[in-house]
Amino acid sequence: MPNDYAKILGVTETSLAMAARRPDANYFGLLVAALIEKGGAMSLDEVAERLDAIGYAPRDLARRSLSRCRPTREPVFRRGELYDLDPHCQEAGLWAFRLGMCPPRARAEVAPPEPPPPLPDPERPIDAAALEEAWRIPGLSGWSDRRLVVCALEALGGRARPEIVIDFLAARGWSRPRYLGPDRVWNRGEPITTEADGAWLLVADHPDISGARRAVIKAIEADRRRRRGQPSPEQLAESRRQFEAERRAERERVATMRRALVVAHPRDEPEVMLILDVERETVMRFAGAALAEGRARLANFDFIAAVGVRSLLAALGFDWGKRFLGDIDLPQKVIGGGRGRKGLALDLDLLLRGSCGLRRKLDDREGLERLRAAGKESELLDRLEDDLRALFALHSYARLHGAVRVTKGRRDEMWDVAWSHWRDRRLLEELRLEARAQDRVIEAVLRPLGNLRDPWAEAVELQAIARGEGIFLFEVAGSFVFDEDVIMARLGRPLAAALEDRRRVEAERAEREVAASRAADQLAAAFEALRSPVNWPGIIDVFQVRLAEEPGDPRGLRHHLASLLLLEGRAAETRELLARFPEHDEPQWLYALALVEFLETAASDATLRAMRQALAKGPFFAAYLFRRVAEGKAAFATGPGRATLASTLLARAWAAHPEAVRLLRETPGSEA
């Protein structure tokens, strides 16, 4: 009676004795067959007893051989002392097929062959149909030019022009022989002669003619033997179509599966559990009494992945039934060892760093236990969520490539892993082909991953470009992208829209560069004209326009503008300018503020307070101002730098108000 394993695998014959007679049978394969036969878990002792019962091997020998055949590799996993089968694993289906327990997925139905026509009569000339059947099989290139011409002349009636003979042979797939042409001279004794008008004529009753007929008959017999029992091209095409339809349906079914990643702590007796919905990329948290709700939520998913997924689900008390499980495990424990060399020990942290560029310790049980013992449940859940999202990035990389990346020193390798459904691996290859066929971009998250909570915020747009025999990925901006650097990927918008946006961005950048160059020239001319007061109103307009276009003032034009406004007596506009940059506390800025306070409120408390702040921040400017005023140099000389020019303009604005200079000199903190 078919069991659950047999139904999932499509097994039609569950007999272990039948599987043991197959040439591909070995102890591991028979372990798989025994689990399929029973439809449930078995111990190695029980499997050995079954092999002894069918007469395959004595019980002790079978038990020892089963323990040595690495019985915990795919598709078999261990649960205590029992061994169970993952029927969704690709290896399970392959073993069932090798052991004759299920038919092939796609098989062409061979129609009963029609009776072939009779073989040509060796006593009669060969016709064109017989030649086409004889020359259908490969390996006839060893026929001599003379035999080819004899066969062609037989089909053409025994006499023909050389051009007609050559065209006849070329039409049946033969390239022009090297020494065969209209000027070919046939020697005496050959089965062909050349007539006066240049035509070729067969010599009647020549023995080579009967030899050519026998060779054609022999070739026809060989072709019929080769084709006997084979499906026709139409049947093969139909079989291929059915196979592609089944594979497409399987992929669509797998694509619609709801997937989840799970973490819990502690692993033996979980008190908190987090579930990440892969499609929505959202995390659900459950703690304490809410674990029952978490198990109910987990039942809504078709595919569940975790580190040690079966032991974790068993600790949670969740029966996974027929669901697909993805065990996030190491491809192997150590790589690169042997011959006295120390190998590289693998762990999930190393795989995460190599694949996603994340330096993070996954499954830090000691740190998690300290948070749990301290009663910091919120911090514990945040830490577990970060671990879960890092695990999701690593699992997405494995789904995309069918492998994980190991980088350590000079080592940079890809190692195959089976963390997802076998129809759901190496998605990057399919995405590349789909993007190429549909003229769409690929949205990709590249290594290193910086934003765990929202990885798609860092996504870039890639286009698939054919170069030579391969299809490679390039950013829409033009730079090449290595496949190994792609962590997550999905189909994006049409390629034409992305390229149009790129062209617009490039045009805007070019316009900004032209405008920046023009503005730089304009500013250079303005600075040259600053020495003449006549030009100040126009320069003020230039500086105000630049500040409006560059609100952050990366050029420091606000200092020059404030000084010019004060020189022009526009105190109100100066205060508005100072209010636009309230967080700046440079000495020059504070002295401008102090002068504005004096012009608006004279010797008020606000003016004195502003002067004290300016003196405390930059006493050197006051010393410079007092020295210049004492020397009687109102038109101060300017240095070559812009900062010196701005300070000189501000000093001229102060010198225009002697009462302000006197008040500043009398303010405590002045060095006058």
Side-chain angles (χ1 to χ4, degrees):
M1 180 177 181
N3 51 53
D4 291 339
Y5 291 169
K7 292 178 181 177
I8 295 174
L9 294 171
V11 169
T12 57
E13 178 58 59
T14 59
S15 171
L16 180 62
M18 182 275 299
R21 293 192 295 269
R22 301 284 294 187
D24 291 330
N26 55 26
Y27 279 100
F28 182 76
L30 294 178
L31 170 61
V32 175
L35 296 174
I36 294 175
E37 181 185 55
K38 182 178 180 181
M42 300 177 69
S43 66
L44 293 185
D45 292 330
E46 293 174 342
V47 178
E49 290 175 0
R50 281 290 298 133
L51 294 178
D52 188 11
I54 65 174
Y56 185 79
R59 182 185 181 282
D60 294 339
L61 175 61
R63 178 63 179 81
R64 184 168 63 249
S65 300
L66 286 170
S67 63
R68 293 177 177 176
C69 72
R70 294 188 296 138
T72 55
R73 52 193 161 116
E74 288 188 338
V76 180
F77 64 93
R78 187 171 180 175
R79 188 188 297 176
E81 293 299 322
L82 299 179
Y83 291 79
D84 208 343
L85 183 71
D86 182 4
H88 301 292
C89 180
Q90 183 184 16
E91 288 294 325
L94 292 176
W95 273 113
F97 172 69
R98 292 188 195 114
L99 299 177
M101 306 181 79
C102 65
R105 291 184 177 272
R107 179 176 59 186
E109 296 294 335
V110 180
E114 298 180 359
L119 293 172
D121 186 356
E123 301 299 330
R124 304 189 63 180
I126 302 171
D127 56 9
L131 288 179
E132 290 179 357
E133 185 177 2
W135 291 348
R136 187 162 46 196
I137 67 172
L140 298 182
S141 59
W143 284 27
S144 66
D145 296 345
R146 183 173 62 186
R147 175 167 291 180
L148 292 176
V149 174
V150 168
C151 294
L153 287 174
E154 280 261 286
L156 293 172
R159 183 182 184 279
R161 300 283 303 174
E163 297 82 1
I164 298 177
V165 174
I166 293 173
D167 292 342
F168 179 87
L169 293 174
R172 281 147 185 83
W174 293 93
S175 61
R176 181 170 177 173
R178 181 178 180 184
Y179 299 110
L180 188 60
D183 55 349
R184 170 68 182 266
V185 178
W186 301 102
N187 299 322
R188 182 181 298 178
E190 289 188 302
I192 306 166
T193 61
T194 304
E195 294 188 333
D197 59 353
W200 289 347
L201 178 67
L202 280 178
V203 178
D205 300 330
H206 196 284
D208 285 354
I209 298 177
S210 59
R213 295 173 181 172
R214 289 193 299 269
V216 170
I217 295 172
K218 185 177 180 180
I220 292 175
E221 291 177 338
D223 179 62
R224 291 180 180 179
R225 283 195 304 269
R226 181 179 64 87
R227 298 171 62 84
R228 187 177 300 128
Q230 290 186 357
S232 65
E234 294 77 12
Q235 292 171 332
L236 287 175
E238 177 63 19
S239 176
R240 183 68 182 176
R241 189 193 62 78
Q242 293 178 2
F243 173 75
E244 292 293 343
E246 292 176 2
R247 185 171 66 171
R248 188 163 50 252
E250 179 72 7
R251 287 189 182 278
E252 292 175 357
R253 186 180 68 84
V254 172
T256 58
M257 289 193 310
R258 293 197 62 192
R259 301 172 179 81
L261 269 71
V262 184
V263 295
H265 184 78
R267 290 187 62 89
D268 297 333
E269 298 179 358
E271 297 180 4
V272 294
M273 174 177 64
L274 280 77
I275 303 174
L276 187 145
D277 189 331
V278 173
E279 278 65 38
R280 300 177 182 176
E281 298 186 13
T282 56
V283 175
M284 296 173 283
R285 300 180 174 187
F286 306 95
L291 286 178
E293 181 186 355
R295 287 190 290 268
R297 292 288 187 90
L298 202 57
N300 297 327
F301 294 94
D302 306 309
F303 177 89
I304 303 173
V307 178
V309 60
R310 293 179 176 86
S311 61
L312 180 62
L313 294 181
L316 288 168
F318 180 78
D319 182 14
W320 60 85
K322 300 179 183 179
R323 291 177 178 82
F324 297 83
L325 300 182
D327 193 357
I328 302 177
D329 199 2
L330 302 175
Q332 59 186 59
K333 296 181 180 179
V334 180
I335 61 174
R339 294 188 178 181
R341 294 177 300 176
K342 184 178 180 181
L344 176 63
L346 297 183
D347 55 29
L348 289 179
D349 303 337
L350 186 63
L351 301 184
L352 183 65
R353 184 163 61 251
S355 302
C356 305
L358 285 175
R359 294 184 176 272
R360 181 179 184 84
K361 185 173 179 58
L362 289 175
D363 200 19
D364 183 11
R365 301 188 184 185
E366 295 181 0
L368 295 173
E369 187 60 30
R370 285 195 297 269
L371 293 176
R372 187 182 72 88
K376 300 179 179 179
E377 182 177 303
S378 177
E379 295 183 18
L380 174 64
L381 291 174
D382 290 342
R383 177 73 176 275
L384 284 173
E385 180 173 349
D386 290 341
D387 288 349
L388 182 58
R389 290 191 177 276
L391 200 64
F392 168 63
L394 183 59
H395 185 266
S396 299
Y397 188 94
R399 259 184 86 192
L400 206 60
H401 300 276
V404 289
R405 188 177 183 182
V406 178
T407 57
K408 183 74 172 180
R410 296 182 178 179
R411 187 185 301 275
D412 190 346
E413 304 170 354
M414 298 290 288
W415 285 83
D416 292 343
V417 291
W419 295 351
S420 58
H421 190 276
W422 64 279
R423 286 288 193 195
D424 200 26
R425 300 175 197 163
R426 304 190 186 279
L427 298 181
L428 187 59
E429 298 177 3
E430 299 178 10
L431 280 174
R432 194 190 339 249
L433 295 175
E434 290 181 15
R436 179 75 177 168
Q438 301 178 21
D439 285 333
R440 298 172 67 181
V441 299
I442 297 176
E443 295 181 6
V445 179
L446 302 181
R447 180 181 183 272
L449 180 62
N451 190 344
L452 273 178
R453 297 300 177 97
D454 187 12
W456 292 106
E458 303 174 347
V460 297
E461 290 184 329
L462 309 179
Q463 58 177 326
I465 300 178
R467 295 285 177 84
E469 297 181 357
I471 300 178
F472 302 95
L473 297 179
F474 292 81
E475 291 189 25
V476 176
S479 57
F480 175 73
V481 175
F482 289 95
D483 290 356
E484 297 82 1
D485 289 338
V486 181
I487 301 174
M488 304 176 187
R490 62 189 181 190
L491 281 180
R493 56 178 175 162
L495 178 59
L499 293 176
E500 180 62 28
D501 286 350
R502 182 62 190 174
R503 284 190 289 269
R504 186 175 64 254
V505 169
E506 291 292 343
E508 292 175 355
R509 179 184 300 174
E511 291 178 0
R512 286 196 300 270
E513 291 177 355
V514 172
S517 177
R518 188 183 302 113
D521 295 340
Q522 190 177 21
L523 286 176
F527 278 111
E528 287 294 328
L530 270 176
R531 291 178 174 84
S532 175
V534 178
N535 300 324
W536 288 349
I539 296 174
I540 289 174
D541 295 339
V542 172
F543 285 177
Q544 287 177 337
V545 170
R546 296 310 306 164
L547 280 179
E549 295 178 354
E550 300 175 349
D553 190 22
R555 305 173 187 270
L557 299 179
R558 60 186 181 278
H559 301 292
H560 305 83
L561 181 58
S563 301
L564 290 174
L565 289 173
L566 289 171
L567 285 170
E568 290 291 306
R570 296 154 68 172
E573 294 182 42
T574 308
R575 180 175 288 279
E576 292 178 3
L577 176 63
L578 295 172
R580 289 170 55 185
F581 301 93
E583 70 281 0
H584 294 280
D585 59 348
E586 298 96 333
Q588 188 172 334
W589 205 241
L590 295 177
Y591 278 102
L593 178 61
L595 184 56
V596 170
E597 292 287 354
F598 175 81
L599 294 176
E600 292 184 347
T601 62
S604 64
D605 293 340
T607 301
L608 296 175
R609 185 167 54 253
M611 288 184 176
R612 285 195 297 270
Q613 291 177 354
L615 288 169
K617 188 69 175 179
F620 53 86
F621 178 80
Y624 166 75
L625 173 63
F626 297 151
R627 186 173 67 254
R628 289 295 187 177
V629 171
E631 294 174 356
K633 296 181 179 180
F636 301 129
T638 59
R642 293 182 181 178
T644 303
L645 178 59
S647 301
T648 301
L649 292 173
L650 182 60
R652 292 183 66 169
W654 273 87
H657 303 279
E659 291 297 324
V661 175
R662 183 187 60 77
L663 186 61
L664 180 65
R665 192 188 302 271
E666 296 173 355
T667 301
S670 173
E671 297 180 0

